[in-house]
Amino acid sequence: MKIRSKKAILIVSSLLITSGLVVGCADKKNEQNTNTTNKEQSVQTTKEDYTYENNDYFTSVDWLNKNLKNKDILIIDARSEDDYNKGHIPGAINVAWQSFCKMEGKAGDKDWGTLLDKEQLSKIYSDLGIDKNKKVVVYAQKNGWGEDGRLAWMFKETGVDVRMLNGGMDLWKSNGEEISKEKVDPKKSEYVIKELKNDINIDTKTLKEKMNDVKIIDTREKDEYDGATKFGEARGGHIPKSINIPFNEVYNEDGTIKSKADLEKLFKDAGINKDDEIVTYCTSGIRSGHMALILKSIGYDNVKNYDASYYEWAGDKTNPVEK
């Protein structure tokens, strides 16, 4: 998506502030401006005042700021410990994606990086203070790995009442909201996961069996898709027939998620339809977990995250790869 000059963005922003939402006019006088208006709208951020109640996947910076002192809200910073220590949203606890995964052995080993079982996850959730009465808000930042989406994807599929903060730390900072460096320790609870839904993941064996029936989205950068091995992958390349849509293409410049219309166009242009069975993957299932959540948020319901991802695929030499 092309970025307009600062001057153009300021002009569009002032129009939005003074006139409310920009809507198309039906009269012939304005028909000649339709294409220009659409292009200007496409660079605008998605800053709807989401509340926890009016959207199943996101909440807004404004809403969270107004509810920071609500004891029924648990805020999770999914970034690295180093980023957290440099400054975070007040009251947020810091939790890395690795906390919920099988990390024995090394990247590429079978099941490395995949979700723990429901008993282990239940204990971790309880240690974090998650309970049935808590509203969970998870956030990260645009230049990360989509850790917030990965955690929200996991929480939602294990019964947690969760929303992702639209704009994350990027928008929180740019709005001038309060930043804290005080470490917050979780308050333990009792949480029991009754089931891990069967539609949350797909494993390597099942993916190989369904290769001709699914649309596979490779959410890594294009150089990784083309063969670069930047993270210790056993082989370069991509899973055969996979379509490359880097996960960061779902963002606006300010870290918010693109509008539903822009996202639908992104996926439609790539050949992904809402009635397709979809599998997302990346290196270790983080970026692809984020993409799976975004797809679900706009009505692509039949989507699974291959959380073993390319590490495991490339680690088994019997699995074919393309470049």
Side-chain angles (χ1 to χ4, degrees), residues 50-228:
Y50 295 135
T51 67
Y52 211 90
E53 289 72 28
N54 72 8
N55 189 283
D56 291 335
Y57 291 86
F58 301 102
T59 192
S60 70
V61 164
D62 288 344
W63 182 87
L64 181 58
N65 191 35
K66 293 173 184 176
N67 288 273
L68 277 180
K69 296 183 179 180
N70 187 333
K71 294 181 180 180
D72 291 330
I73 294 174
L74 176 63
I75 307 171
I76 294 179
D77 186 321
R79 301 175 302 157
S80 70
E81 183 178 7
D82 185 53
D83 284 333
Y84 176 83
N85 290 337
K86 289 177 181 176
H88 54 266
I89 295 175
I93 63 173
N94 185 216
V95 189
W97 66 268
Q98 292 93 333
S99 303
F100 308 98
C101 299
K102 301 170 185 175
M103 303 303 294
E104 297 84 5
K106 65 183 186 303
D109 289 348
K110 189 177 185 329
D111 292 334
W112 186 92
T114 60
L115 284 180
L116 296 166
D117 61 36
K118 64 181 182 180
E119 288 76 22
Q120 292 171 302
L121 287 175
S122 293
K123 182 180 185 308
I124 295 169
Y125 284 13
S126 298
D127 289 342
L128 294 177
I130 295 171
D131 66 46
K132 297 294 183 182
N133 299 315
K134 293 281 188 184
K135 291 178 169 64
V136 177
V137 176
V138 59
Y139 73 90
Q141 58 196 27
K142 181 184 174 184
N143 67 350
W145 289 82
E147 300 95 338
D148 50 349
R150 160 73 180 220
L151 293 195
W153 159 81
M154 174 194 69
F155 284 142
K156 188 168 286 291
E157 295 296 339
T158 52
V160 176
D161 188 7
V162 64
R163 303 291 186 277
M164 190 162 68
L165 182 64
N166 192 30
M169 198 63 182
D170 302 275
L171 190 58
W172 187 269
K173 283 183 177 179
S174 65
N175 278 7
E177 309 295 359
E178 182 183 355
I179 301 294
S180 173
K181 291 187 178 180
E182 180 181 353
K183 182 180 179 180
V184 179
D185 294 320
K187 296 179 180 180
K188 292 187 177 182
S189 63
E190 293 185 7
Y191 192 96
V192 177
I193 298 173
K194 294 182 179 180
E195 66 172 342
L196 289 178
K197 296 182 179 180
N198 291 329
D199 64 352
I200 185 173
N201 286 336
I202 190 168
D203 58 26
T204 301
K205 180 177 180 294
T206 306
L207 178 57
K208 290 173 74 172
E209 292 171 350
K210 297 174 70 70
M211 289 284 286
N212 295 323
D213 302 318
V214 299
K215 293 280 184 71
I216 306 173
I217 301 177
D218 184 323
T219 68
R220 301 174 299 163
E221 296 292 337
K222 187 177 186 302
D223 63 339
E224 298 172 79
Y225 180 82
D226 290 339

